[in-house]
């Protein structure tokens, strides 16, 4: 088993620990604060998901930006940065630019990195760190931690229940029609759109796969043109009315695990990425053209 696959399987336990840690953390945005969430790559997609969850919880206006495109001149009460390595250049430069102007919180996996002093408050999730280049458990654990910090969210399961769903997601077989497909389109609404983006990224990073991601209701406005026999439309969360009929009409394969927590469904997509990489003879632990952290000169 690859190191990446081993780390994927640990996520249910990591999420439970994240929920417990969230109860004692004092650096979460307060209800009513105007908040921006930021990161790069996978961390940005988790930021998108958290921003939507925070608004769904009624806790205040929340935006998400890649760190390289953050509007520094815009007024926020707090900025939350997600950085697994704690060394990503764009994140550290942003936190430096914000110092003394706006409160900042960082989530990182390594307590021995510049992120520890770059932000006003830091949550260290070092027990969810990973050796893999491709992010899996740290990203989902960071989101589980932030999600737990929001308390009850209408229509969203508690993290403890998501962990139960994830235990099934790490063990049940993946459908052959999905593993053997030639193309995958991931779809989501609200907070699950960030998960759809992340699922597509995992497939590209680990397996060099042809994947796309869109808001679910935008799928009919063009992206459905790519769907057909041997191609998958994978929906995170609730299935929009009529979408299954549309996918069937064009001969595509629909994946919709609506009863499962969408974060647990992302675990399935991670496993698919590893399975596809291995079927191509790729090493998921050594993805092409990637490093664990992007540090610019």
């Amino acid at each position: 088993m690859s190191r990446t696959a081993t780390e994927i399987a640990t996520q249910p336990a990591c999420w439970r620990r994240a929920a417990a840690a969230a109860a004692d953390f004092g650096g979460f945005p307060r209800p009513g604060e105007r908040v921006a969430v930021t990161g790069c790559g996978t961390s940005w997609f988790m930021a998108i998901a958290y921003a939507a969850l925070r608004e769904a919880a009624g806790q205040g206006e929340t935006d998400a930006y890649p760190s390289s495109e953050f509007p520094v001149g815009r007024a926020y009460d707090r900025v939350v940065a997600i950085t697994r390595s704690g060394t990503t250049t764009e994140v550290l430069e942003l936190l430096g630019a914000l110092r003394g102007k706006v409160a900042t919180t960082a989530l990182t996996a390594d307590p021995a990195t510049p992120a520890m002093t770059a932000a006003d408050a830091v949550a260290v999730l070092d027990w969810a760190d990973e050796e893999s280049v491709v992010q899996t458990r740290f990203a989902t654990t960071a989101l589980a931690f932030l999600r737990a910090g929001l308390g009850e969210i209408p229509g969203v399961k508690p993290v403890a229940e998501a962990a139960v769903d994830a235990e099934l997601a790490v063990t049940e077989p993946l459908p052959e029609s999905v593993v053997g497909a030639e193309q995958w389109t991931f779809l989501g609404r609200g907070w699950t759109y960030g998960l759809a983006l992340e699922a597509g990224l995992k497939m590209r990073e680990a397996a060099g796969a042809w994947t796309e991601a869109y808001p679910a209701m935008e799928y009919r406005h063009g992206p459905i043109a790519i769907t057909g026999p041997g191609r998958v439309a994978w929906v995170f969360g609730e299935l929009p009315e009529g979408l299954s009929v549309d996918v069937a009409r064009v001969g595509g394969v629909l994946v919709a695990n609506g009863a499962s927590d969408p974060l647990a469904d992302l675990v399935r997509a991670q496993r698919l990425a590893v399975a596809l990489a291995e079927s191509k003879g790729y090493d998921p632990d050594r993805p092409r053209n990637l490093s664990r952290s992007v540090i610019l000169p």
Side-chain angles (χ1 to χ4, degrees), residues 105-157:
T105 295
L107 276 65
T108 188
D110 189 346
T113 63
M116 294 300 297
T117 56
D120 300 318
V122 182
V124 180
L125 311 180
D126 50 353
W127 34 268
D129 198 2
E130 49 212 354
E131 296 180 28
S132 299
V133 172
V134 173
Q135 283 200 58
T136 55
R137 74 179 179 191
F138 175 76
T140 63
T141 300
L143 182 56
F145 177 79
L146 291 167
R147 175 173 159 182
L150 293 170
E152 184 176 347
I153 308 169
V156 179
K157 295 180 180 181

Side-chain angles (χ1 to χ4, degrees), residues 32-111:
E33 286 186 327
R34 188 166 187 256
V35 172
V37 198
T38 189
C40 297
T42 289
S43 295
W44 174 37
F45 298 149
M46 297 301 101
I48 292 172
Y50 172 60
L53 282 170
R54 186 171 184 268
E55 292 200 349
Q59 294 203 12
E61 183 177 341
T62 315
D63 298 322
Y65 303 98
S67 299
S68 59
E69 298 294 328
F70 193 97
V72 177
R74 191 167 295 179
Y76 289 103
D77 298 310
R78 181 172 294 273
V79 172
V80 177
I82 306 172
T83 170
R84 176 181 67 170
S85 69
T87 60
T88 303
T89 299
E90 296 97 322
V91 176
L92 294 177
E93 288 182 347
L94 173 61
L95 290 173
L98 296 174
R99 179 175 292 279
K101 301 175 182 177
V102 59
T104 56
T105 295
L107 276 65
T108 188
D110 189 346

Side-chain angles (χ1 to χ4, degrees), residues 12 56 114 118 137 197 218 252-253 288 291 293:
R137 74 179 179 191
L197 290 168
E218 288 296 309
V253 177
R288 297 178 299 173
S291 60
S293 174

